[in-house]
Amino acid sequence: MPVPTPSSHSHSATNSELIGSLAKSIEKKDALSRHSFLKYAVRAMLATLFLALGTGIAFYIAGYANDIIPHSGKFFYAFMFSWSLVMIVYMNAELGTSNMMYMTSAVYNGKLRFLTAGKILATCIFFNLVGALLFSYLLSLTTAYSHLPADHYLFEAVATKLAKTPLTQFVEGIFANIVVNTSLFVTLRMKDDAGKVFAMIFIIFIFAFLGFEHVIANFVSFPLAFFANGGPVEGMTLWNVLSNFFFSGLGNYVGGGLIIGLLYSWLNKKSDVYVD
């Protein structure tokens, strides 16, 4: 008996399933932001709550690891930081860098108007920042972060980020959000929760270990370093912080919004032969 070949209908179904998953997420975000602005703002703040928890344990365990095995802290930091996205995804929080992908795809596919998508994205990023400032401050009041040594991994990592050139921050921002949104894109195509968690952890590990720039993660780590240190760390001026936010954020949009959101929407538009 000849083996049946996939028909264009089955390809179209695959296409519809993926685009449908994106559209469903976009519809939820749009509906929540329209009908309950406060709830949307809270979900955006929750994203940086979970990011603060993931960042907090990542930096703290990295400090311990370096004391036990020199130079091992980076490995443990990257592994523990990766759980941040797991919490954000499974707790249905709103993360600005993933919304760069969703909102760009929404505009391209005609699901949202440009101004509506821009408003949702701007609202999400703003309340990510509000949550980051609040939860970073509260985290600095905990026993773990109230008496850090001057050479702690957190302070050194933040100083290193602030010392990067704008071009480096921009390029690393591109790669960081390619990684983040690739992990989300992968989970849209997976049914098993264990597989989703496994994929997210090891994909996010890439950007965390390589130290790429993620603007929302920096929303958390910069104020955490400031509050835990009782003032600015090396190189932490208002200009350097805002410059990092701008160039890393711009790179994040190129990586997540254009390369993943726009490019993959274009690749899958009106295609029934090669779809994702």
Side-chain angles (χ1 to χ4, degrees):
M1 180 181 293
V3 178
T5 57
S7 66
S8 61
H9 175 75
S10 65
H11 283 293
S12 296
T14 304
N15 183 31
S16 298
E17 182 179 352
L18 175 62
I19 300 302
S21 295
L22 286 171
K24 184 177 180 180
S25 295
I26 292 164
E27 183 180 353
K28 285 168 56 179
K29 295 171 187 291
D30 181 39
L32 185 61
S33 66
R34 285 178 183 273
H35 302 300
S36 183
F37 181 84
L38 179 60
K39 288 183 178 180
Y40 187 83
V42 169
R43 286 192 181 273
M45 292 175 67
L46 285 172
T48 37
L49 166 61
F50 300 126
L51 194 54
L53 290 171
T55 299
I57 186 59
F59 277 125
Y60 199 70
I61 202 170
Y64 266 109
N66 271 345
D67 290 339
I68 299 170
I69 305 174
H71 309 298
S72 66
K74 195 171 186 179
F75 175 86
F76 286 96
Y77 168 83
F79 178 73
M80 294 307 300
F81 176 84
S82 299
W83 289 91
S84 300
L85 189 68
V86 177
M87 291 188 281
I88 289 169
V89 168
Y90 278 90
M91 298 303 287
N92 283 318
E94 289 290 309
L95 184 67
T97 43
S98 60
N99 275 335
M100 291 175 182
M101 174 187 73
Y102 284 115
M103 294 302 108
T104 303
S105 176
V107 172
Y108 180 79
N109 288 304
K111 302 297 183 182
L112 294 177
R113 293 182 300 173
F114 177 82
L115 290 178
T116 301
K119 179 183 176 182
I120 293 172
L121 180 58
T123 300
C124 182
I125 292 173
F126 175 76
F127 283 101
N128 283 167
L129 178 58
V130 172
L133 293 172
L134 173 61
F135 297 121
S136 294
Y137 173 69
L138 293 176
L139 191 59
S140 74
L141 300 179
T142 63
T143 302
Y145 276 91
S146 58
H147 298 94
L148 295 183
D151 61 347
H152 192 270
Y153 188 89
L154 167 63
F155 303 141
E156 293 181 349
V158 169
T160 298
K161 287 178 172 293
L162 291 169
K164 294 177 183 177
T165 66
L167 178 61
T168 299
Q169 293 167 356
F170 173 71
V171 173
E172 290 189 357
I174 294 174
F175 283 116
N177 217 20
I178 287 174
V179 171
V180 169
N181 284 287
T182 295
S183 71
L184 294 172
F185 201 86
V186 167
T187 63
L188 288 175
R189 304 181 63 186
M190 300 178 73
K191 303 298 183 183
D192 180 68
D193 283 333
K196 290 181 180 183
V197 171
F198 186 88
M200 280 189 282
I201 289 172
F202 284 96
I203 294 174
I204 295 299
F205 185 94
I206 297 170
F207 107 74
F209 187 81
L210 293 175
F212 292 156
E213 296 298 312
H214 184 278
V215 67
I216 311 300
N218 291 348
F219 280 178
V220 172
S221 59
F222 289 5
L224 178 59
F226 178 88
F227 294 131
N229 191 50
V233 301
E234 183 181 353
M236 182 178 280
T237 65
L238 180 60
W239 172 255
N240 284 345
V241 169
L242 293 179
S243 177
N244 178 282
F245 287 168
F246 176 78
F247 287 105
S248 62
L250 188 61
N252 289 165
Y253 182 74
V254 172
L258 301 184
I259 295 177
I260 301 298
L262 182 61
L263 181 61
Y264 271 83
S265 292
W266 173 73
L267 287 171
N268 286 276
K269 193 174 183 67
K270 298 180 179 179
S271 174
D272 57 9
V273 177
Y274 197 147
V275 293
D276 298 288

